[in-house]
């Protein structure tokens, strides 16, 4: 059975957005265009038969037939729009750059992963058939060791005032260079010239140095007499030139130049250009089709959030260099960022969270704002730790648990799999604490078994066991063991019924009204 075509909404349909509108409409996926300019929207409706339009974001996010949102608005709006779309359960394609702040990028990456949604960045040239061919040749060793890469993206075109030339032109070239290098740079140095506006650079050069010995530079300008889009890759065997201003059959040229040594003097031996055959295709259409494919298959995009973060990190380092007199910036992600890009970290830790040494964190776990994981703590797979949470030391949190905001999980507490700890619920670990006496040797173990729910603001006095799939109501104070599937409320907590595995209270016949499961529990006698 053929998969259903995802429905797409484009937000922002101006300078570049109109091209996205055209492609998604021609593919047959476009459902809606959202823009603040009603004249632009009216024009689209005349051009594209049956196209729906709107001017409000909530009109996009509330529609069930919209599976993916394409954001082509100014860069400073990307974070807010992307976050709202992800929270609404929509897959997201963001035009470059992903966002302007690396913290925001990491948050979006974590949010997309948490919700199982696609987050893709519009680094268009990664989808250009010529660059794909160039990457293939490099990967197969056709060029030999790559020693040097440089790119030029020059034009006398649209001059922006919301961003400088670095942020407008360079993301594409950074993306290509990182893709060829397969690593993050060790250092970044950038210079800029401000000619039309004293605070907005019109011309920049950015220099990258890599631990492998590779060096690269990027020259971008919107004060150039003609259009030039060229990427040159210098390898030990061959040199390659990707010139996007040439006819299709001449866009990729290979030169088998050699450097010979005569009398200890290097002498170049030039070779004629070779032009590998590359199948034609519109890069933007390929990019749009890739987004739709990732939504349908669940595959990770070629230019996913992590690739977008890698490019953003280089942009920020270059901007910092320009802001500080073209000083060399030691690239802080040269080691860690490389692991992120190539190995895709299996868990997410927000930059405001603290994870001490000797902590184990499982695959796909999330640790959010201002939380602290203390030593010798084990966090299982798919665990979600909310904001302002403290866990440890010496605590085990099982796979699939959710620890909501403002919870402290102390030494002596064990959470089995799929336990839910509601907001601001409380564990204790010493039965009769005194501030002036140390009693950590009197810690009493608290065991919360698989699937149990501890409601918001409930208190679990140490030394008890909460049974499998038990349900502790909000505000309850538990002072004794709770049986499997028991529903308890009040202070002190007392049992008032039984809870299904799905969390619904059983009826008088011990049947779940929600999922229909039947249980064989003894009647509960209310006091």
């Amino acid at each position: 059975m053929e998969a259903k075509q995802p429905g797409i909404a484009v937000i922002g349909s101006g300078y570049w957005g109109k091209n996205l509108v055209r492609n998604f409409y021609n593919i047959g996926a476009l459902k809606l265009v959202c823009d603040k300019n009603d004249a632009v929207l009216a024009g689209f409706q005349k051009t594209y038969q049956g196209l729906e339009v709107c001017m409000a974001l909530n009109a996009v996010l509330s529609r069930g037939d919209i599976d993916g949102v394409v954001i082509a608005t100014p860069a400073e709006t990307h974070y807010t729009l992307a976050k709202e779309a992800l929270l609404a359960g929509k897959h997201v394609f963001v035009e470059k750059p992903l966002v302007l702040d690396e913290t925001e990028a990491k948050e979006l990456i974590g949010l997309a992963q948490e919700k199982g949604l696609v987050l893709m960045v519009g680094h268009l040239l990664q989808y250009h058939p010529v660059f794909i061919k160039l990457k293939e040749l490099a990967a197969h060793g056709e060029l030999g060791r790559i020693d040097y890469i440089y790119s030029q993206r020059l034009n006398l075109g649209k001059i922006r005032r919301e961003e400088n030339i670095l942020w407008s032109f360079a993301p594409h070239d950074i993306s290509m260079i990182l893709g060829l290098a397969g690593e993050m740079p060790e250092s970044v140095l950038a210079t800029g010239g401000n000619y039309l506006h004293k605070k907005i650079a019109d011309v920049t050069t950015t220099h990258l140095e890599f631990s492998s010995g590779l060096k690269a530079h990027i020259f971008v300008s919107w004060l150039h007499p003609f259009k030039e889009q060229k990427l040159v890759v210098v390898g030990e065997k061959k040199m390659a030139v990707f010139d996007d201003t040439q006819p299709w059959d001449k866009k990729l040229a290979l030169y088998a130049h050699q450097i010979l040594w005569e009398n200890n003097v290097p002498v170049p031996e030039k070779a004629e250009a070779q032009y590998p055959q590359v199948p034609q295709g519109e890069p933007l259409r390929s990019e749009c089709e890739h987004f739709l494919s990732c939504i349908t298959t669940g595959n990770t995009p070629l230019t996913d959030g992590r690739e977008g973060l890698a490019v953003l990190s280089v942009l920020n380092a270059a901007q910092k260099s320009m802001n500080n007199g073209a000083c060399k910036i030691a690239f802080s992600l040269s080691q860690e960022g490389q692991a992120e890009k190539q190995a895709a970290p299996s868990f997410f830790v927000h930059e405001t969270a603290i994870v001490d040494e000797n902590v184990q964190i499982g695959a796909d776990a999330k640790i959010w704002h201002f939380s602290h994981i203390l030593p010798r703590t084990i966090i299982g797979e798919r665990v979600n730790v909310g904001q302002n949470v403290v866990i440890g030391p010496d605590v085990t949190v099982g796979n699939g648990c959710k620890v909501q905001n403002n919870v402290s999980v102390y030494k002596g507490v064990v959470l089995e799999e799929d336990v839910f700890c509601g907001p601001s619920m409380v564990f204790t670990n010493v039965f009769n604490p005194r501030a002036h006496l140390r009693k950590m040797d009197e810690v009493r173990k608290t065991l919360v078994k698989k699937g149990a729910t501890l409601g918001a603001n409930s208190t679990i006095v140490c030394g008890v066991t909460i049974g499998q799939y038990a349900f502790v109501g909000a505000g309850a104070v538990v002072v004794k063991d709770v049986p499997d599937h028991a529903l308890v409320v009040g202070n002190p907590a007392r049992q008032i019924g039984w809870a299904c595995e799905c969390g619904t209270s059983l009826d008088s016949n011990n049947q779940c009204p929600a999922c229909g499961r039947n249980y064989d529990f003894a009647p509960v006698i209310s006091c």
Side-chain angles (χ1 to χ4, degrees), residues 149-166:
I149 303 172
Y150 75 85
S151 67
Q152 297 179 177
R153 192 164 301 275
L154 316 168
N155 203 359
L156 186 64
K158 179 171 174 138
I159 298 172
R160 300 176 182 271
R161 280 294 164 258
E162 68 273 11
E163 61 188 10
N164 63 28
I165 187 64
L166 173 73

Side-chain angles (χ1 to χ4, degrees), residues 169-188:
F169 278 18
H172 292 303
D173 300 283
I174 294 171
S175 177
M176 288 192 292
I177 290 170
L178 296 184
L180 289 167
E183 61 178 326
M184 295 294 283
E186 280 190 325
S187 66
V188 177

Side-chain angles (χ1 to χ4, degrees), residues 411-431:
K411 180 177 182 178
V413 177
V414 175
L415 306 182
E416 291 187 350
E417 294 183 357
D418 300 321
V419 170
F420 181 89
C421 298
S424 301
M425 62 79 47
V426 176
F427 289 105
T428 70
N429 61 356
V430 175
F431 188 73

